Every structure is written in structure tokens, then in C-alpha cells.
Amino acid sequence: MDVTGPGQVAHVEVNPATGYEHWRIGDSWLMGTGFYAVAGWKEFPPNTPRQLQDDGVDQGSWNAKERLQRMDEYGIWGQVLYPNLIGFESPLFMRLGPEISLACVVAYNDFIVEFASADPKRFIPIAMVPFWDQDAAVAEMARARDIGHRGILFANKYEMVDLPAFTDPHWDTIYAAAQDLELSVNFHVGFSSSTNGAATAMTQLLANFEPRAAARGTSLGLMSNADSIAAIVTSGLCDRFPRLKFVSVESGFGYITYLLESLDWHWQGYGAHLRSPMLPSEYFRRQCYGTFWFERKTLPLLETYPDNFMFETDYPHPTSMSPGPASPAELPREHIAKYFADVPPEITRKVMHGNAAAVYGLDR
């Protein structure tokens, strides 16, 4: 594959406007390299890390061996690895042209497998797909599975970039391939439609940071996947692909039990049950999953869907369960011992390992 114009692909460069290293794609300056490396950081926003070499940045944010040490400290056996830059900023990549954009996807998928090679049993890579080219996407999904990926990242707001909604049959070729390849389809919160990138918007937000508004915006943003979950279980997508596993990533779980109860109630109240073989909650129970981390008071609700939720830490992001001077988090192992004490042991085992093992094929 011939790729020209190296300045167009994602690369790190010192931004003259700030004097420190940023990601750059073409003419678009994105976040500093330390933007997502907030685990254990010493200050509250907007004073976040600027670049990875800043004093106090947790090296586990980018170094696989350090990451494994941090996982040991946290009491975490395995971690699912999702794309950051290429996931959040995928519209910028898709505008680079077919060869360059595909080369970037391939390079990322190869890189994350190399990262995971530090311990392939404990690191579970999730592949980026070039959704703008479905033939290339299917081919890359097969290649990614062969080299160790256990799922794909997909987006839930494609209409923001003038493509059909993610539940539209337009995407059935990709869904069919994922089902045949036994790759889970993972929906992460956040998708940019801006030519300047999602991180540019976040940088502007930090420049005008107000902590009360940020707490409100983050909480509502995490729950925004409710719309995607509702779409998956009411659109007919699950009927078309009954063996496909869908994962709502970094979105919490407590409110989902209400969402599903409401969907069932109105599904029957409006007569939708006369046109569908199953209730929305039954589709969810059969093939949908969610992840959560800091929740405490909602834990009794795990008994309603014991096979559908997975514990995470969100390391090394700003909202992660990473103790530090500017974080309310305690060590995950301590959090689990304290707040899961009253959760039935069989449910705790599923939430902490069994459900993830089933979704990501950890036993195969």
C-alpha cells in the first residue's frame, strides 16, 4: 500500500501556539499527548497533563509493562483496550482519502496488538474499522481477528457525518461479518463530527472550565448511550443478528434497568409487542452488555441482569478509578472489597470476570 504525504497522517508535533507536543492530522491540531493520561494526576481540571513526559504523568498510560504493574496494584487481571485518538477523531481520518485512512486503521490495529503482546492473556485489544469503506472494513475485521483482536469499535452517531444511522440495514455487511467472526460490537461514548476534532472542542471547554457544569455535562454524557441501547433493542437489529454481542462502553449501568423497564412498559402499551417476538429487555438480556466503575448505591440492581454488566476502571481517563490527589477514587481492589460485600458472590464473579470472558472469548 503506497501512502504519500506523511504530514497528513496522525503524528506528534510541537504546537507553536502552546509550545508542547500535540497530535496533528493534516492541518488540524488536536489534543496534547498527555490529554488522556489523567490517572493519578495531581491537579483538578483544567490543569490536566499536557504531554506524556510531564512530571507526574502515570507511565502506565502509555507503557505496557508499567500498565501491567498498575493493574496488579489495582487488583485488575485483564483490561480491554479501546481506541482513543482514532476512535474519537475518526471523521478526520476518513477525510484523508481511501489509502491513507485505511493505512492509519491498519497501523493502529497492528500497534495495539504489539502493545498487548506484553501479556496477550491480560490485554484484550479492540479493533478500529474503516467504516467508510465496508469492503475494506470486512477485510480488516478478519485480519484483526487473526492477529488477536476480540471485538470492534463502532460508532452510534454516523448521521453526524452524513451516513445512515448505525441501526440502518446499510451497515448489515459489517454486522454480519462481526457475527460470523464472533467479534463483539462496542459502542464508546463520544463521536466527533467536527473537522477540527472532538479534542478541539474539549480544549475549548477546558479553557472555560467550570467544575459544576463539567460534573453535570460528564454525567449526562455518560448516560447518552441510553439512546443507542434503546435503538439496538427496538430497531430490529437484534432480530437480524441474534448471535451478535453489543457492548455499551463507559456508560454506567444503574439507569439502564429503568430504561429497559420503561421500554417494556411502553412497548406493550403502544402495541409494539404485537409486531415483535420479544420485549426490549429480552433482547438486551440475550445479547447486550454494559460497563460501569464508580457506582455503589445501584449495585443491588445487578441482580436484575446478572449476565449483562461488567466492571471496569476506565484507566487512565479523567473519570477513572485511579487514586490520586485530585480524585475521589480508592484502589479498585479496595472499592470492590468494600462495596461488593453485600452483592451475591455468584453475581460478583460474573460482573468481575465471567461476563467479560463470555463477551470477549477469553477462554478460546
Side-chain angles (χ1 to χ4, degrees):
M1 180 183 298
D2 293 327
V3 177
T4 58
Q8 295 184 62
V9 301
H11 64 284
V12 172
E13 185 178 336
V14 174
N15 187 338
T18 66
Y20 60 88
E21 292 181 345
H22 286 246
W23 284 100
R24 185 178 184 182
I25 302 176
D27 294 329
S28 297
W29 289 99
L30 305 177
M31 74 289 284
T33 56
F35 184 81
Y36 292 118
V38 189
W41 185 244
K42 55 194 174 184
E43 297 182 76
F44 291 103
N47 298 314
T48 55
R50 298 180 303 174
Q51 50 192 6
L52 291 176
Q53 56 265 47
D54 283 355
D55 183 45
V57 170
D58 187 341
Q59 293 191 20
S61 299
W62 56 272
N63 181 294
K65 291 184 178 180
E66 291 283 343
R67 176 79 59 93
L68 289 166
Q69 291 182 19
R70 201 70 66 250
M71 289 163 61
D72 289 340
E73 293 169 11
Y74 284 11
I76 301 298
W77 179 81
Q79 186 179 47
V80 182
L81 305 174
Y82 293 98
N84 267 333
L85 182 74
I86 199 169
F88 290 125
E89 310 292 354
S90 55
L92 286 175
F93 285 87
M94 67 183 285
R95 295 185 177 105
L96 294 175
E99 289 196 352
I100 296 178
S101 58
L102 177 58
C104 290
V105 170
V106 171
Y108 169 78
N109 289 340
D110 286 345
F111 156 75
I112 203 63
V113 169
E114 181 180 346
F115 183 96
S117 68
D119 194 330
K121 291 185 177 180
R122 297 181 67 185
F123 286 135
I124 300 102
I126 300 298
M128 181 65 189
V129 296
F131 58 83
W132 48 87
D133 182 337
Q134 293 202 35
D135 289 339
V138 170
E140 179 59 14
M141 288 164 62
R143 190 189 77 88
R145 188 188 186 281
D146 287 344
I147 62 175
H149 287 268
R150 298 306 180 96
I152 64 169
L153 181 73
F154 218 48
N156 54 12
K157 297 294 181 184
Y158 285 127
E159 56 269 34
M160 294 173 65
V161 290
D162 299 322
L163 290 171
F166 78 97
T167 57
D168 192 279
H170 170 84
W171 304 106
D172 281 4
T173 299
I174 291 177
Y175 289 134
Q179 181 171 261
D180 292 342
L181 292 166
E182 298 183 325
L183 293 171
S184 59
V185 177
N186 299 260
F187 297 94
H188 199 290
V189 293
F191 182 74
S192 171
S193 62
S194 169
T195 55
N196 293 321
T200 299
M202 184 60 72
T203 300
Q204 293 170 350
L205 176 65
L206 290 175
N208 301 287
F209 188 80
E210 203 288 312
R212 294 167 297 181
R216 180 176 68 247
T218 298
S219 298
L220 293 175
L222 296 177
M223 291 193 294
S224 67
N225 262 20
D227 181 58
S228 302
I229 294 167
I232 290 169
V233 299
T234 62
S235 64
L237 182 58
C238 292
D239 290 322
R240 300 200 302 274
F241 302 101
R243 294 182 291 105
L244 190 54
K245 293 180 172 64
F246 299 97
V247 184
S248 174
V249 180
E250 195 185 329
S251 57
F253 95 94
Y255 66 93
I256 296 177
T257 57
Y258 160 78
L259 171 68
L260 293 171
E261 189 164 359
S262 178
L263 286 171
D264 282 357
W265 177 264
H266 295 97
W267 195 254
Q268 296 174 90
Y270 296 149
H273 65 295
L274 302 176
R275 303 182 182 183
S276 174
M278 297 171 65
L279 294 173
S281 65
E282 292 172 333
Y283 287 118
F284 185 89
R285 193 181 301 276
R286 184 180 72 184
Q287 61 191 106
C288 298
Y289 302 84
T291 64
F292 69 97
W293 58 114
F294 56 82
E295 292 179 61
R296 295 170 291 185
K297 296 179 181 179
T298 57
L299 294 182
L301 294 173
L302 287 170
E303 295 189 43
T304 60
Y305 294 93
D307 299 313
N308 299 89
F309 292 102
M310 301 175 283
F311 182 81
E312 64 160 317
T313 63
D314 196 38
Y315 178 94
H317 286 177
T319 184
S320 68
M321 294 197 68
S322 302
S327 171
E330 53 196 337
L331 283 171
R333 65 165 71 246
E334 297 174 358
H335 175 94
I336 293 166
K338 183 185 301 184
Y339 295 108
F340 279 79
D342 295 327
V343 177
E346 64 275 14
I347 293 179
T348 298
R349 283 192 293 270
K350 289 182 177 183
V351 168
M352 294 295 163
H353 178 79
N355 294 342
V359 171
Y360 298 109
L362 302 186
D363 297 327
R364 66 172 187 247

